Amino acid sequence: MSEHYSTLYLSLMYTHLITVIPCVFVGAYLLLFSKGTKWHRSLGKYYMISMVITAIVSLFMPAMVGPQLLGHFGWIHLFSILTLWSVPTAYIAVRKGQIKKHKIKMILVYIGALIIAGGFTFVPGRFMYEVFFG
């Protein structure tokens, strides 16, 4: 499997996985359990920082499936942009006491960047497809 990918791509992929996989579980916890507690705020900061890091890293990874813009960016990168816009604006919203706005943005990030984009990683030709089905 790894002979198909460059060392740089694999380094980016593993960095991406190390930051994004915990977010699947932390994000679910944050959405399902008590809000506004010290624990929620601490985990929320970890979640937001990890999501921003994973979005930045993903922008350096070329699209491996579908059409590419400039020989690099694909439709999947729109989820990175969604994350890089939504996370800071959700943080600003919660700091301003705009809890409903914060909640909506965090739900959108979880569904869009983790569930939908994560689902696309299992499409034939993508790394995770090869890991699990190749």
Side-chain angles (χ1 to χ4, degrees):
M1 165 193 39
S2 61
E3 63 272 2
H4 301 296
Y5 301 101
S6 70
T7 304
L8 174 61
Y9 183 82
L10 287 172
S11 297
L12 291 168
M13 175 59 63
Y14 291 129
T15 302
H16 181 68
L17 290 172
I18 288 167
T19 56
V20 78
I21 290 172
C23 287
V24 173
F25 301 102
V26 172
Y29 177 86
L30 290 167
L31 290 174
L32 295 173
F33 294 100
S34 296
K35 313 293 186 276
T37 64
K38 187 176 181 179
W39 182 240
H40 178 88
R41 289 189 302 273
S42 295
L43 275 180
K45 287 175 187 172
Y46 165 81
Y47 176 79
M48 287 180 154
I49 291 167
S50 295
M51 287 300 293
V52 166
I53 291 169
T54 203
I56 291 168
V57 168
S58 71
L59 289 174
F60 290 96
M61 299 166 57
M64 302 297 272
V65 174
Q68 290 183 339
L69 176 65
L70 303 174
H72 180 85
F73 298 103
W75 292 108
I76 195 79
H77 289 101
L78 292 175
F79 293 105
S80 303
I81 302 302
L82 167 75
T83 301
L84 292 172
W85 173 75
S86 296
V87 170
T89 57
Y91 178 77
I92 291 166
V94 79
R95 297 291 294 170
K96 290 182 175 180
Q98 299 169 336
I99 304 305
K100 185 174 181 180
K101 186 176 181 180
H102 170 78
K103 180 180 178 179
I104 290 168
K105 288 178 179 289
M106 288 292 86
I107 290 170
L108 287 173
V109 166
Y110 191 84
I111 291 171
L114 292 175
I115 302 301
I116 296 172
F120 283 121
T121 66
F122 293 97
V123 170
R126 302 284 312 267
F127 183 81
M128 294 306 288
Y129 178 86
E130 289 191 29
V131 168
F132 283 92
F133 308 112

